[in-house]
Amino acid sequence: MENYKNVTILEHPLIRHKIAILRDENTGMKEFRELIEEITMLMAFESFKDVPTKTVTVKTPLESVEQEVVAERSIAIIPILRAGLGMVNGVHKLFPNAKVGHIGLFRDEEKLSPVEYYCKLPDGIENMTAILLDPMLATGGSASAAIDCLKKRGVKRIKLMSIIAAPKGVEKVTGEHDDVSVYIAALDRELNEHGYILPGLGDAGDRLFGTK
Ligand code: PRP
Ligand code: URA
């Protein structure tokens, strides 16, 4: 498998198992949604190894002890609409107090270029680590535009988490944003003429929300 700078492929038998079911065209909407959430949680567990922590004093029934806890308020979860929404709970389960911002982008079906239609980010985001969520990294146009949008708001620490990626998308994002850490669970072969990832899983938004 190729090595890309700043890209971690989160390979684990449990993740591979869940991705196999996710790809299956016979997997229905409910199971698809649950799998996206579970895979995201497994990915977040690995990709937040460097999460900021602080020391607090905890009183056990016997004595006081200094303990490390996650500084959750320093994390912002940013799904790219629509499909990124399916990943939010997977991260929220680990960081229940993390704030959530939304970036709305869709791909122009002919040019495949991203069109922004919504952006609402938490106050103070410039001092947080933003975890950008989108299950599919195809041409990379949407993720790269979302990163631009975060950088314009002064965000300095950005992680991108995508479940399935195509080489073209990884190359675009890492080429344009070499300061962003990218975490993926599967690096697929290529894109088809419509910009869909092969073998991929089809249209993630439609499978999550039952729109087709
Ligand atoms: C999908 C997906 C990504 C984008 C990836 O969204 O969720 O946001 O395509 O493609 P790219 O890497 O080539 O930009 P889509 O535009 O279909 O919008 P939707 O989630 O609202 O269906
Ligand atoms: N968006 C999707 O939902 N699937 C793809 O394969 C590519 C972009």
Side-chain angles (χ1 to χ4, degrees), residues 83 107 136 138 191 195-198 200-205:
R107 291 199 307 178
M136 309 304 280
L191 299 178
Y196 277 90
I197 300 174
L198 297 175
L201 49 69
D203 190 302

Side-chain angles (χ1 to χ4, degrees), residues 71-144:
E72 287 192 55
R73 287 180 204 285
S74 61
I75 292 164
I77 304 171
I78 317 288
I80 299 180
L81 307 180
R82 287 176 302 167
L85 284 175
M87 299 174 75
V88 172
N89 283 346
V91 184
H92 241 169
K93 281 198 170 140
L94 299 180
F95 306 113
N97 292 311
K99 300 205 170 158
V100 183
H102 297 85
I103 298 180
L105 292 168
F106 66 85
R107 291 199 307 178
D108 176 294
E109 281 184 11
E110 276 178 14
K111 290 185 245 147
L112 298 180
S113 49
V115 181
E116 185 179 321
Y117 61 89
Y118 188 75
C119 182
K120 178 83 182 167
L121 302 173
D123 285 349
I125 187 147
E126 59 281 0
N127 299 316
M128 301 178 188
T129 297
I131 176 81
L132 192 58
L133 303 177
D134 194 326
M136 309 304 280
L137 182 62
T139 64
S142 304
S144 194

Side-chain angles (χ1 to χ4, degrees), residues 10-64:
L10 296 165
E11 286 217 287
H12 188 287
L14 280 177
I15 295 181
R16 282 203 294 269
H17 174 88
K18 289 180 190 295
I19 287 181
I21 308 170
L22 193 70
R23 290 186 192 275
D24 189 330
E25 63 178 355
N26 294 314
T27 298
M29 186 174 61
K30 175 176 180 286
E31 196 180 1
F32 189 89
R33 200 167 53 232
E34 289 166 355
L35 285 162
I36 290 274
E37 187 177 317
E38 288 163 7
I39 293 166
T40 305
M41 190 160 64
L42 293 170
M43 291 178 74
F45 183 75
E46 269 301 305
S47 50
F48 272 98
K49 276 183 175 159
D50 60 349
V51 66
T53 58
K54 58 182 181 183
T55 305
V56 295
T57 306
V58 175
K59 236 171 139 276
T60 79
L62 301 174
E63 61 177 24
S64 292

